[in-house]
Amino acid sequence: MTLRVLLADDQALLRGAFRMLLDTADDITVVGEAADGREAVSLTRELRPDVVVMDIRMPEVDGLSATAEIAADPGLRGSRILILTTYETDEYVAQALRAGAGGFIGKGIGAEELVDAVRTIAAGDTLLSPAATRSLVARFLATPDDAPRHHPERLAVLTPREREMVALVATGLSNQEIAERMFLSPFTVRAHVQRAMTKLEARDRAQLVVIAYRTGLVHASPEGDGDGERPA
C-alpha cells in the first residue's frame, strides 16, 4: 500500500526538500502541498491523505489550529498528523498533543528518520522525538506536587519485557529504534508497546511516557547528563 502524504509548510523551499526526501521511498507519495493552515485543512478534506506533515508557524491559520480542526472532523479520522517543526518547546509539544497530533519531531532529522516517522504515524502509532519527550517530561516535572500520580505497583501487570519497552519509549525512541537496539522486529516491539498501553490504560504513547515517570520506572537525569533520562 502506498502512503499518501500532504505537506503543510509556508516555506516553498522546505516543502520541495521534504517532497524530494519522501518521494525516494517506494511506499510513499506526496499528493499535495499547503502554504498555510487554512489550505492544509482544505486539502486534507479534498485529498484525504494518510498523513499530514504539518509545520506550526504559518500565516493565516497556524499548524496547531489546523491540526485541531482536522482532528475534530469525524470525516478525517483516516488522516493522521505529524508535526514537523523547528520549535520543540514544551508548550508546543503539549498543545500539539492536545490538538490531536499523532507525532512531534524536529526539522533537524535525517531523511530516513522522516520516512520512518511518516510510516509510524500512518500505522497508528504516536511518535515523539527525544527532544519532544524531554519537553513533555520537563512539563510533567513542573506540575504541582498534588497532581495525580501512579503507584509503582501499577507496573506489576507488565511482563519484564514490557517494562523494558515502556522504559525505552520514555526515552523518546521510536519502535524502529527500539527494535534495532533490542534485536527484535518492529512488529514485535509494537505488539509489546500496545499490550503495555492496554494494561496501563494509556490512551497514547505520550501518556505512556508520563506513566513511566510517575511510577518511577525511569527518572530524569541531572541536566546535561546523557540524553536526560535513565531507567530506574
Side-chain angles (χ1 to χ4, degrees):
M1 183 182 69
T2 299
L3 300 177
R4 304 171 72 254
V5 175
L6 171 67
L7 298 174
D9 195 297
D10 62 332
Q11 298 186 48
L13 186 61
L14 284 179
R15 293 199 309 271
F18 295 150
R19 176 185 281 270
M20 289 180 61
L21 293 177
L22 293 174
D23 281 343
T24 61
D26 294 336
D27 59 338
I28 296 175
T29 183
V30 176
V31 296
E33 297 182 19
D36 57 57
R38 191 184 310 281
E39 188 176 13
V41 174
S42 176
L43 287 178
T44 299
R45 291 192 171 118
E46 176 186 344
L47 302 172
R48 302 301 171 97
D50 298 298
V51 177
V52 181
V53 179
M54 185 86 73
D55 187 23
I56 289 182
R57 294 190 176 184
M58 293 187 290
E60 298 293 333
V61 175
D62 63 48
L64 295 175
S65 298
T67 295
E69 188 170 348
I70 292 171
D73 189 334
L76 300 179
R77 287 178 180 170
S79 296
R80 299 266 293 166
I81 301 170
L82 172 64
I83 299 292
L84 181 60
T85 180
T86 305
Y87 309 97
E88 296 183 78
T89 66
D90 61 343
E91 183 62 31
Y92 278 152
V93 174
Q95 287 184 29
L97 295 175
R98 283 199 299 266
F104 193 107
I105 57 177
K107 288 184 177 178
I109 65 171
E112 291 186 6
E113 292 174 294
L114 176 59
V115 170
D116 286 342
V118 168
R119 290 171 178 155
T120 297
I121 295 301
D125 290 332
T126 300
L127 177 67
L128 296 176
S129 68
T133 300
R134 285 193 291 271
S135 293
L136 181 66
V137 171
R139 191 176 185 84
F140 155 67
L141 292 175
T143 58
D145 291 338
D146 59 357
R149 294 185 178 274
H150 303 291
H151 298 293
E153 56 268 25
R154 185 178 182 186
L155 299 175
V157 298
L158 302 180
T159 65
R161 179 49 62 92
E162 288 166 354
R163 288 169 64 100
E164 191 174 20
M165 294 296 172
V166 173
L168 291 172
V169 166
T171 67
L173 295 179
S174 66
N175 286 352
Q176 181 65 41
E177 291 168 330
I178 294 173
E180 292 172 357
R181 177 175 295 196
M182 302 299 297
F183 301 103
L184 298 170
S185 73
F187 176 82
T188 299
V189 172
R190 183 184 181 192
H192 281 305
V193 172
Q194 288 183 330
R195 280 198 294 269
M197 289 174 62
T198 299
K199 290 179 178 180
L200 296 174
E201 299 180 343
R203 64 178 178 272
D204 54 35
R205 203 178 183 95
Q207 190 175 34
L208 197 63
V209 172
V210 172
I211 291 174
Y213 280 87
R214 287 192 184 278
T215 57
L217 180 62
V218 290
H219 298 292
S221 298
E223 187 174 356
D225 180 12
D227 291 333
E229 298 90 18
R230 58 183 175 82

